[in-house]
Amino acid sequence: TMALAGKVFCITGALSRPRKEAVAWIESNGGEFASTVTAKVTHVICTDDSSAKASAARAKGKTIVSEEDVEELIANGGGKGKAKAKAKPKAKQSAKRKKKQDDEDEDDDDDDNDDDDDDEEEEEEEEKPKAKASKKKAAPKKAAAGKKKGGALAGKVFCITGALSRPRKEMIAWLEKHGGEFSATVAKRVTHVICSDPTTAKAQKAEDDGKIVVSEDDVEAMV
């Protein structure tokens, strides 16, 4: 069916089904999936009202729904479902289940705080490409001033998807220390995508755009 045609969904929190299965379910019913709360998102499926994505959704006026609400939309052929101004949390989940869901969260990557930063940067990339480009170009100059010219990763711009062996901020600092740059999204200027899971949306977009997909070990070998 195409009951979800014209709707773009973002997910935050643990659902009753695995994240990849939920994405396939949305797309099989005509909907689209976005890993972060961007301008094009129409609905946020939320089971954690305290998450960064839920806060971003409320701030941007997005429709917050539960998994059951989406099932009702499909059952009604895309008609009125019970959109909720405030997400209804699921039953208490185990720490093991929560960790597993966090690992599956493609646009959370490390945690909701990192994802919130990605949301802001992705919005700027989509809506203000020129301003974003000039802002990004200024950063490498400042970083280069305190160290020698070049670096093993000079001229390379990296995007990260999936959980790495070190925290996200530490990985970014390490890339910049060796002359590389970081981008929160797979923008045109990105040259390499560091990927621990080739099935993520970022990894697939990178391959479609002709980017070089590498592992953390590959980048360490460059240095």
Side-chain angles (χ1 to χ4, degrees), residues 17 54 57 86 97 106 123 182 188 197 200 204 207 213:
R17 64 197 81 196
K86 186 175 181 180
R97 167 67 176 160
E106 293 172 353
E123 285 286 281
F182 171 73
K188 285 185 179 180
D197 181 359
T200 65
Q204 292 171 3
E207 291 182 356
V213 179

Side-chain angles (χ1 to χ4, degrees), residues 140 143-156 175-180:
K147 61 183 182 181
K148 295 180 180 180
K149 287 185 178 181
L153 304 180
K156 299 178 177 63
L175 292 170
E176 293 175 343
K177 175 183 176 182
H178 292 286

Side-chain angles (χ1 to χ4, degrees), residues 86-192:
K86 186 175 181 180
K88 180 174 69 176
K90 286 254 181 186
K92 188 175 181 182
Q93 53 188 302
S94 68
K96 185 176 181 180
R97 167 67 176 160
K98 181 69 168 62
K99 184 177 185 303
K100 181 180 179 182
Q101 190 63 46
D102 287 343
D103 290 340
E104 291 176 345
D105 194 335
E106 293 172 353
D107 281 300
D108 282 356
D109 286 333
D110 290 330
D111 53 39
D112 280 334
N113 289 330
D114 282 343
D115 185 61
D116 192 36
D117 293 337
D118 286 356
D119 286 346
E120 294 176 3
E121 291 194 43
E122 185 164 344
E123 285 286 281
E124 290 177 7
E125 294 238 14
E126 288 182 349
E127 298 173 9
K128 301 178 182 179
K130 291 184 180 179
K132 185 68 180 176
S134 61
K135 184 177 179 181
K136 284 291 183 180
K137 286 178 181 177
K141 284 187 177 180
K142 186 175 181 181
K147 61 183 182 181
K148 295 180 180 180
K149 287 185 178 181
L153 304 180
K156 299 178 177 63
V157 182
F158 296 85
C159 182
I160 299 171
T161 179
L164 305 182
S165 66
R166 65 190 87 188
R168 173 69 58 87
K169 291 179 181 177
E170 186 180 318
M171 187 64 185
I172 293 171
W174 181 78
L175 292 170
E176 293 175 343
K177 175 183 176 182
H178 292 286
E181 293 181 56
F182 171 73
S183 173
T185 57
V186 187
K188 285 185 179 180
R189 65 196 193 90
V190 168
T191 58
H192 295 69

